[in-house]
Amino acid sequence: MTSTLTLALRARNANRIKPRYQICLIHPFDPRGQKVGGLETYIRDFITFHPTDTDILFIGVDSTGELELGKLHRMTFRGRGFDFLPILHYSDQQAREAARSIRTSLTGQFFMALLRHFGTIARLIRARRCSVDLRRVEFSWLPAILRLPFVQMLHGEGAPKLQMDSLLRKYAFVHNTGERFAVAMSEKFLCVNPFITERLQRTYPRRKDKIDTLWTWVNTDIFKPQLWPLNSSPFQIVFAGRLDEFKDPPLMFRTIDRLRRRLNGDVRFHYIGTSDPHRFEEFAAIEDITVRHGFKDAAGMAETLASAHAGILTSEFEGMPRCVLETLAVGRPVVAMHLPQLEPVIHSGVSGYLVARSGSRDDMADALAQRFVDVRSAIDAGTMNPVQIADSIRAFTPGTQLARVFRYHQEIQDARGLAAAAPTY
């Protein structure tokens, strides 16, 4: 028989108010806009997959010019509600190509907007007792001034010898100063691959315990393995993302041209993104076989990737390229120049090929082209399977990676007593 005490305890527990967690995202971006990339997908997925016991406050950019700045707006994205505080009007057109000065850059203008709206931001974040989630170290000063805990992530870093399509190379000292400050002040400092993690742990040995790796992920609710296109003629190759110079578009275009010659013109190249490929002279050789898709939302990108036979990546450095994970997730192999972080997902002959960085640029283009020939032969022979290809990214899903970030915020707020006292919105 159930005791009176047990019944009383059950009743009390049933009436207990469960804690809600409050997370503030700060990033110069509009999740409703057309900008694509790893950072942007992170924000969109953060909103999409946030736990039901968590409220999201997003401080960002209005790309439409329709929202009043400095005012809170209740928004819905992919069926999930969040509170949006836009502090800057900055159109998708402005964001498409990298700025050439700090004054005109999105980062610079957003920095100034944070200062202009500091009072409003401070009142909101403090009232909600948020922990803060940051993608850019340049903004780590804000939660530090407010004495609020924050989780910092470093999505990538450049190579000094390469020209990047951003101002980070010219003003590297700004990034490096922000990095040191964020490592010191953050509760957790996450990097997109273990090579960046190891570099930071060596650089900041006293902070080693807070520095960890958080691999990027792919939304497998949207990106699912699909049957091959009806035939392999013409052979369809796809790339998605900005055409930054460190991604080596000239090598990419030269490879497609070499493959075109090997396949007697029976190839098509698909570009998903908003950069202008004409600024690279190598593009002229393949312009007539290129389909430029422009911006695609996640569903549109998944559909376009599935209509191709293979993906390509020629970058000289990356974090963990999301376009590679999304291509593999729909069951399409990827041929890429070797990057160590790609080894866990690109398995030779199964989910694509990694090509060694050796010889001349012509040698590398030839090697890449030959691997695409091998992929086409494997598809025709039935030895490459979309389900097996997609299985290569099973550890790179929101349920395995993004869930860790939410858990860190919950642990931080529990430890500081923030969640229990947080209001419900």
Side-chain angles (χ1 to χ4, degrees), residues 122-130 421-423 425:
R123 286 191 295 272
L124 265 177
I125 299 179
R126 282 174 169 162
R128 297 185 179 213
R129 300 169 65 86
C130 295
Y425 294 89

Side-chain angles (χ1 to χ4, degrees), residues 157-193:
E157 54 188 10
K161 68 175 181 175
L162 296 171
Q163 182 178 350
M164 297 180 64
D165 259 5
S166 74
L167 295 171
L168 287 181
R169 182 174 181 267
K170 185 176 180 181
Y171 297 97
F173 71 92
V174 176
H175 174 82
N176 293 337
T177 301
E179 177 188 280
R180 287 194 296 272
F181 183 79
V183 168
M185 302 302 293
S186 63
E187 295 290 319
K188 201 76 176 177
F189 195 104
L190 304 172
C191 310
V192 292
N193 67 55

Side-chain angles (χ1 to χ4, degrees), residues 348-366:
S348 184
V350 177
S351 56
Y353 293 97
L354 294 175
V355 173
R357 298 180 185 277
S358 61
S360 67
R361 293 180 65 78
D362 283 338
D363 292 337
M364 291 188 288
D366 282 334

Side-chain angles (χ1 to χ4, degrees), residues 75-118:
M75 311 295 290
T76 300
F77 179 74
R78 295 179 184 168
R80 303 302 306 278
F82 70 102
D83 289 321
F84 185 26
L85 182 73
I87 60 172
L88 178 70
H89 288 139
Y90 201 93
S91 71
D92 288 330
Q93 181 63 41
Q94 290 174 281
R96 278 176 182 165
E97 297 296 339
R100 300 303 174 191
S101 71
I102 284 289
R103 284 188 61 192
T104 60
S105 74
L106 176 54
T107 301
Q109 292 194 39
F110 191 73
F111 185 96
M112 296 306 297
L114 286 172
L115 294 177
R116 285 196 302 271
H117 295 276
F118 181 80

Side-chain angles (χ1 to χ4, degrees), residues 97 243 249-250 253 269 271 274-288 290-292:
E97 297 296 339
L243 294 174
F253 301 152
F269 176 60
Y271 170 53
T274 55
S275 296
D276 183 5
H278 290 97
R279 60 196 178 93
F280 302 98
E281 62 181 25
E282 292 83 358
F283 179 68
I286 66 165
E287 183 171 7
D288 62 323
T290 297
V291 180
R292 294 174 63 186

Side-chain angles (χ1 to χ4, degrees), residues 42 65 108 187 194 210 231 248 268 321 325 343 347 352 383:
Y42 179 98
E187 295 290 319
K210 73 165 67 172
N231 57 64
D248 206 344
R268 296 290 182 273
L325 297 182
E343 292 176 4
H347 309 131
T383 56

Side-chain angles (χ1 to χ4, degrees), residues 180 183-185 189 200-201 204-211:
R180 287 194 296 272
V183 168
M185 302 302 293
F189 195 104
L200 288 177
Q201 288 178 336
Y204 309 104
R206 293 177 57 192
R207 315 289 185 183
K208 182 177 180 179
D209 290 345
K210 73 165 67 172
I211 302 170

